[in-house]
Amino acid sequence: NLIVADKGGQKHVINASTISLPSDQFKKSPSIIIHLARLVTNLPTADSALSIYMLGNMIVRKPDGALVEGKLWQRIKTRALLAYLATMDGQPVTRETLLDALWPDMDYQAALRNLNTAVYNLRHCLEPDLKHGPDSQFIRYENSNYWLESETAIWLDSHAFEKGLHQARQDLPTKQKLARYQDALSFYR
């Protein structure tokens, strides 16, 4: 998926694909390359705060459009923590719930150290210049609860997928239903 601007400067998300087909007709070129692009609805543009893609390999884009990357992001528990908090839609999750979900077979103190490390890593993946954890605009902690800040605009592909399915199930002509289902399926990578 790409974010493109039209002549008026309005941003749109398009899905672009390239297909290479073998061809014996052209002696200079061993194949034909076809580029397909289509407008995709319900996807974020660079104006969104965090764009979280979980239907496939987990990808996160920051408000400026940059991908979340680096050594800390490669740690599976860092990504798992973000996925867990993102699916909770801003609802607080107790520290014990996270310990049970992410480190079920570990003793409490070791699991707690791992959770603190994962939270630190996640905060610094999302906000590399963050000086103090409580200053994070994304990952909040209070009264032994963690949550992904709901006042921050968060876009989830899984929510867009569910919304697309809901729209497709409405009383619509078959062609429109099919188009809505196809849009919803485009979220799976």
Side-chain angles (χ1 to χ4, degrees), residues 36-99:
L36 303 171
R38 68 181 182 100
L39 185 64
V40 180
T41 57
N42 298 326
L43 282 179
T45 61
D47 299 332
S48 300
L50 275 184
S51 302
I52 304 172
Y53 299 83
M54 295 189 295
L55 300 175
N57 291 332
M58 188 169 190
I59 298 171
V60 178
R61 289 197 180 277
K62 297 179 194 179
D64 63 1
L67 284 175
V68 173
E69 299 177 298
K71 263 173 59 172
L72 297 177
W73 183 245
Q74 296 308 312
R75 297 180 181 193
I76 194 164
K77 295 298 184 175
T78 302
R79 295 189 315 269
L81 176 61
L82 179 60
Y84 195 104
L85 293 175
T87 58
M88 298 306 294
D89 296 325
Q91 296 300 311
V93 181
T94 66
R95 182 172 48 197
E96 285 68 26
T97 300
L98 291 170
L99 296 177

Side-chain angles (χ1 to χ4, degrees), residues 117-130:
T117 300
V119 169
Y120 175 88
N121 291 345
L122 179 55
R123 282 178 172 155
H124 284 84
C125 286
L126 300 175
E127 302 167 90
D129 298 329
L130 184 68

Side-chain angles (χ1 to χ4, degrees), residues 168-180:
R169 291 181 182 130
Q170 302 302 312
D171 188 25
L172 299 169
T174 304
K175 273 188 166 182
Q176 286 181 346
K177 279 182 180 268
L178 182 58
R180 299 247 170 108

Side-chain angles (χ1 to χ4, degrees), residues 127-182:
E127 302 167 90
D129 298 329
L130 184 68
K131 300 281 188 239
H132 305 287
D135 296 336
S136 174
Q137 66 176 324
F138 300 115
I139 308 300
R140 309 298 294 165
Y141 177 78
E142 187 177 302
N143 298 327
S144 297
N145 291 285
Y146 288 95
W147 67 94
L148 195 57
E149 182 58 64
S150 59
E151 290 182 16
T152 304
I154 306 289
W155 180 89
L156 292 173
D157 62 351
S158 57
H159 287 174
F161 173 75
E162 290 172 2
K163 181 180 177 183
L165 289 180
H166 176 74
Q167 290 174 345
R169 291 181 182 130
Q170 302 302 312
D171 188 25
L172 299 169
T174 304
K175 273 188 166 182
Q176 286 181 346
K177 279 182 180 268
L178 182 58
R180 299 247 170 108
Y181 278 122
Q182 287 173 332

Side-chain angles (χ1 to χ4, degrees), residues 1-6 10-17 35-45 53 183 186:
N1 293 330
L2 303 169
I3 299 172
V4 297
D6 62 20
Q10 185 177 6
K11 295 177 183 171
H12 304 279
V13 178
I14 63 167
N15 179 266
S17 300
H35 299 281
L36 303 171
R38 68 181 182 100
L39 185 64
V40 180
T41 57
N42 298 326
L43 282 179
T45 61
Y53 299 83
D183 280 348
S186 71

